[in-house]
Amino acid sequence: MNEPHDHHHAHAAGHRHPPQADHDDTLTYYRRLEIAVRELLIEKGIITAGEVSKVIEDIESRSPEGGARVVARAWSDPKFRELLLRDATSALTSMGFELALFLDTQLVIVENTPDVHNVVVCTLCSCYPRMLLGLPPAWYKSRAYRARVVSEPRAVLREFGLELWDRVAVRVHDSTADLRYLVLPMRPPRTEHMSEAELTALVTRDSMIGTAVCRAPS
Amino acid sequence: MNVALTAPANATPGFRAGDGVRVLDVHPPGHIRTPHYIRGKTGVIERFVGYFRNPEERAYGRSGEPLRALYRVRFAQSEVWARYDGGLRDTIDIDIYEHWLEHLKTP
């Protein structure tokens, strides 16, 4: 699959990107099963190939930018923040997000404070607040992250470059059922002058999973 | 799709925020949402979330009824992992359905 370069960096001579992994060279049992079921559903007229493509396009069109806008709004507007923590669905639909995004599961926003740091995992599979962050990164689905972040979260966060004070309680959220968690990171110091749009640019995907914190531009 | 539904007639959640609970230490086969590492552990109800169709039934194409009450349960990490070396205030929150929980007997 050829994807346009969306990043800019100098390529050293001879430096090559690793190729995008091919997925068509391992026709596993489950991949074969998925193809068979999909083709049968299309053949029987239950769904169309166009509908499948549309859903894939919808899923892939979402990105952490949605979540970043929500966080920046919460930092800028205390009333919105209060509603977001109490009733995330109402807060997000008031911001213009489609209600349909929040019907499959219930979204819970967990707030970082000077005393509490939240981090999200799904030990069973890969439950993730896709409505606001898009598809999860590969590491989020890895066995290593899923197994270790519940039992030694501080060590895992350290590997992400995040060292927390002992006095900060680490609160892990294992999304095992019908709730999805988004971390509301703390607003960085010295950002009082920044507009909501400028703040949005500071909010990273990992800060909303809880494996990073937001920092002001240096 | 699994949304919180209207409470079944006459239903009241069996647990309230602050109640001490133990997760059943049972190991039935099937599509189970309660992770193994938390079975048999004791925690505190953080909140009652709502009534949902039972995913353990829906996984097999059944309706998931009767609806089940879902809770967020908070566990002290030091209770979950014998050798946990983070702070005593560190916790893990897990979403657990009511049929997996029992009241802690009051001493």
Side-chain angles (χ1 to χ4, degrees), chain B residues 12-59:
Chain B
T12 42
F15 303 94
R16 287 185 303 184
D19 284 358
V21 291
R22 176 179 287 107
V23 183
L24 300 187
D25 192 9
V26 294
H27 299 268
H31 180 86
I32 303 297
R33 297 294 190 93
T34 304
H36 280 274
Y37 71 84
I38 211 63
R39 298 187 199 175
K41 306 295 184 189
T42 60
V44 173
I45 301 284
E46 192 269 343
R47 72 172 80 161
F48 162 67
V49 180
Y51 283 93
F52 291 79
R53 295 183 193 280
N54 183 357
E56 296 171 4
E57 292 288 313
R58 294 177 72 241

Side-chain angles (χ1 to χ4, degrees), chain A residues 115-117 119 148-172, chain B residues 77 84-91:
Chain A
D115 300 316
V116 176
H117 181 86
V119 59
R148 292 186 55 222
V149 81
V150 284
S151 59
E152 45 172 349
R154 286 171 188 268
V156 171
L157 294 177
R158 209 171 292 127
E159 288 167 29
F160 274 94
L162 182 58
E163 183 87 45
L164 295 169
W165 296 96
D166 287 346
R167 63 172 172 78
V168 176
V170 174
R171 196 167 285 168
V172 179
Chain B
Q77 288 279 35
Y84 189 75
D85 63 0
L88 284 174
R89 292 168 58 230
D90 289 4
T91 55

Side-chain angles (χ1 to χ4, degrees), chain A residues 63-65 67-68 71 75 110 112 117-121 128-129 132-141 145 149 156-162 164 181-186 200-215:
Chain A
S63 78
E65 200 258 338
V71 170
W75 286 347
V110 288
N112 285 350
H117 181 86
N118 295 282
V119 59
V120 179
V121 64
Y128 187 73
L132 293 178
L133 297 188
L135 293 173
W139 58 258
Y140 183 85
K141 300 183 277 185
Y145 176 76
V149 81
V156 171
L157 294 177
R158 209 171 292 127
E159 288 167 29
F160 274 94
L162 182 58
L164 295 169
Y181 295 96
L182 186 87
V183 175
L184 175 57
M186 279 194 289
T200 302
L202 300 184
V203 185
T204 61
R205 176 195 68 195
D206 288 7
S207 74
M208 294 181 278
I209 302 174
T211 52
V213 295
C214 295
R215 299 190 191 282

